[in-house]
Amino acid sequence: MNTFQTLLRKYMQGSMSDEELEELRHMTESLNDSELQQQLFSAWDDSDEDVKMDERQKQMMMEAIARNTQHRGGSGRMIKHLLRIAAIFICIIAGASLWFNRTTEKPSLPPDVVAAIEKAEKAGKNHATVTANGQTVNVSSDEAIAEWKPNSGGNQAATTDGERIVTTHHDSEFWLTLEDGTRVHLNYGTQLTYPIHFSGDTREVELTGEAYFFVAKDKSRPFIVHTPNGDVKQYGTEFNINTKDEIGATRVVLVNGSISITPNGGTESMMRPNDMAIIMPQSSEVIISQVDITPYIAWNTGTFVFDDCTLEQLMRVLSHWYNKHIEFYEEDIRQMRFTGEIDKYESIIPTMEAIHKVTGLRIEVRKQGILISRSFNP
């Protein structure tokens, strides 16, 4: 924000000194209407506030400027210039607020995410169940959800409102597009409840499990995710939520934009990009810290990232993903540490071979599951 815009905002807030008022007068006199309008556009665009005025508020603003200037002993010329500022400022705010209230900016997916979606579909991993009106159907695409018309209460008429529940199982994930254009990537073992049509002044969904959100920007309707431990609220950004923590905590990682976290019974806390927030169960507090977000969001682009985790933790994830029971022949090897990346869409044999090369363990993929031992076949 430049000097003119700073002075203008201070004037509107009533926090300007006499010297600053005189400086604003000189600047205003040197600008034509077009230049002044451009400055006002920039001042409004740099503001995080939603400014909305009805006709009464506009008139009060004009009168307040005139009274303030007269009280300071300003000349008629000064009043004229400041009223010109107010008139243009009001027109800009009115037009911009109307535009923002009616416009939703749909998110665009990065190339690596688009590639991951194609891999998931090719590997047969993009599927879920959808429930509505007490009926459930298996789907493998957004189009299948849109085309599905569940009966209502035994009638043949298709439903057009209400909620739907999308559930992924332990060996699948799903990409979902909401009515406003928001894209949601559901990880395995996840459930999202959402309305077919968003109504009112908010967009609200409920999540249990893990999901990555690319939220459509809409300044007039914040997007709110309800989780078992609290709510996540934002106005258009990119973030990951995981409620599947072993101790029942909810972890939120902010990638881009700005969001707030409100635990059940607690107060709202703001997050910055690269922050991770942890909401503990039965707690009204939020723990926020800066982290390397890569391990927490890599799954969204087709990679499992493990950073110094135990072999037991690693195999727990893979057992779900590949739908295989894991058996450790020796108990102590459960605590071996592992750091590395695994392609989610690679078949099970190459994946186990890669883990074998890193750990030196014998890993056998059998019909009934996966057996892990040191160096011999039990």
Side-chain angles (χ1 to χ4, degrees):
M1 188 176 293
N2 62 31
T3 302
F4 177 85
Q5 295 159 10
T6 301
L7 291 173
L8 177 62
R9 293 184 65 79
K10 292 184 71 173
Y11 184 86
M12 297 302 181
Q13 296 165 356
S15 59
M16 176 175 282
S17 67
D18 290 337
E19 291 77 12
E20 290 172 327
L21 180 63
E22 183 65 17
E23 184 179 0
L24 177 61
R25 182 181 69 80
H26 284 299
M27 288 185 174
T28 304
E29 290 178 343
S30 68
L31 299 174
N32 59 38
D33 281 356
S34 176
E35 293 169 333
L36 180 57
Q37 179 170 320
Q38 181 59 46
Q39 291 287 349
L40 293 170
F41 261 122
S42 298
W44 183 83
D45 190 50
D46 286 343
S47 173
D48 291 332
E49 302 172 1
D50 285 334
V51 186
K52 301 176 182 178
M53 296 184 178
D54 56 27
E55 291 302 321
R56 179 174 173 275
Q57 289 172 317
K58 293 176 186 178
Q59 183 63 32
M60 289 175 62
M61 178 180 176
M62 299 282 275
E63 292 173 356
I65 288 178
R67 285 198 306 270
N68 188 23
T69 306
Q70 289 171 333
H71 176 71
R72 289 174 177 267
S75 64
R77 187 178 183 186
M78 179 63 182
I79 295 174
K80 178 180 177 181
H81 280 295
L82 289 174
L83 290 178
R84 181 162 66 99
I85 290 175
I88 296 176
F89 194 54
I90 288 169
C91 290
I92 291 172
I93 290 172
S97 294
L98 179 63
W99 186 86
F100 274 113
N101 287 339
R102 294 182 178 178
T103 301
T104 300
E105 182 182 340
K106 296 182 179 180
S108 58
L109 300 182
D112 56 347
V113 172
V114 175
I117 295 174
E118 294 175 352
K119 288 182 179 180
E121 292 174 344
K122 185 177 180 180
K125 289 291 187 178
N126 191 66
H127 58 88
T129 60
V130 183
T131 302
N133 295 337
Q135 302 165 62
T136 299
V137 65
N138 294 319
V139 295
S140 57
S141 69
D142 264 347
E143 292 76 11
I145 295 179
E147 294 171 358
W148 181 49
K149 305 297 182 183
N151 296 331
S152 178
N155 298 323
Q156 295 302 310
T159 59
T160 57
D161 55 9
E163 290 183 337
R164 289 190 175 179
I165 302 173
V166 175
T167 305
T168 58
H169 300 288
H170 58 267
D171 60 347
S172 68
E173 59 187 350
F174 193 75
W175 278 93
L176 176 68
T177 304
L178 303 182
E179 178 203 26
D180 64 339
T182 293
R183 301 297 298 272
V184 187
H185 186 187
L186 306 179
N187 206 351
Y188 66 86
T190 295
Q191 184 175 94
L192 184 76
T193 302
Y194 66 97
I196 298 175
H197 301 292
F198 289 116
S199 60
D201 55 4
T202 59
R203 297 168 290 164
E204 302 185 39
V205 301
E206 296 180 15
L207 175 72
T208 302
E210 183 171 19
Y212 195 102
F213 292 82
F214 293 92
V215 179
K217 294 182 180 179
D218 187 336
K219 294 196 72 172
S220 66
R221 297 186 302 167
F223 193 94
I224 301 173
V225 183
H226 300 288
T227 76
N229 294 322
D231 300 336
V232 179
K233 177 180 179 181
Q234 61 75 61
Y235 289 84
T237 189
E238 188 178 329
F239 59 97
N240 189 81
I241 301 178
N242 188 353
T243 72
K244 297 191 293 185
D245 187 273
E246 291 181 8
I247 59 175
T250 294
R251 296 176 184 267
V252 181
V253 174
L254 177 60
V255 181
N256 292 309
S258 177
I259 63 177
S260 69
I261 307 296
T262 306
N264 295 333
T267 58
E268 184 177 32
S269 299
M270 299 302 298
M271 292 180 64
R272 300 171 298 165
N274 298 321
D275 272 354
M276 179 174 71
I278 302 176
I279 311 174
M280 301 299 292
Q282 287 84 48
S283 173
S284 60
E285 297 183 358
V286 177
I287 302 171
I288 298 178
S289 60
Q290 286 265 299
V291 297
D292 176 7
I293 63 176
T294 303
Y296 301 97
I297 65 175
W299 71 271
N300 182 57
T301 54
T303 305
F304 287 127
V305 175
F306 301 96
D307 183 15
D308 194 35
C309 73
T310 65
L311 188 61
E312 183 176 30
Q313 292 171 323
L314 164 69
M315 297 309 297
R316 183 182 298 118
V317 171
L318 298 184
S319 69
H320 285 301
W321 190 243
Y322 291 111
N323 195 21
K324 291 284 188 180
H325 172 73
I326 305 296
E327 182 178 348
F328 292 94
Y329 193 71
E330 296 95 357
E331 284 297 312
D332 63 322
I333 61 177
R334 293 174 181 268
Q335 301 307 311
M336 290 182 64
R337 316 303 293 190
F338 182 91
T339 296
E341 299 182 3
I342 295 175
D343 186 339
K344 288 173 58 179
Y345 307 116
E346 185 65 85
S347 64
I348 189 170
I349 298 301
T351 297
M352 294 302 130
E353 289 178 350
I355 296 174
H356 160 70
K357 290 180 180 178
V358 172
T359 63
L361 297 173
R362 184 184 185 93
I363 303 177
E364 295 185 56
V365 179
R366 300 178 175 180
K367 184 177 180 180
Q368 63 270 36
I370 299 173
L371 179 63
I372 303 176
S373 60
R374 289 196 180 279
S375 59
F376 60 90
N377 187 6

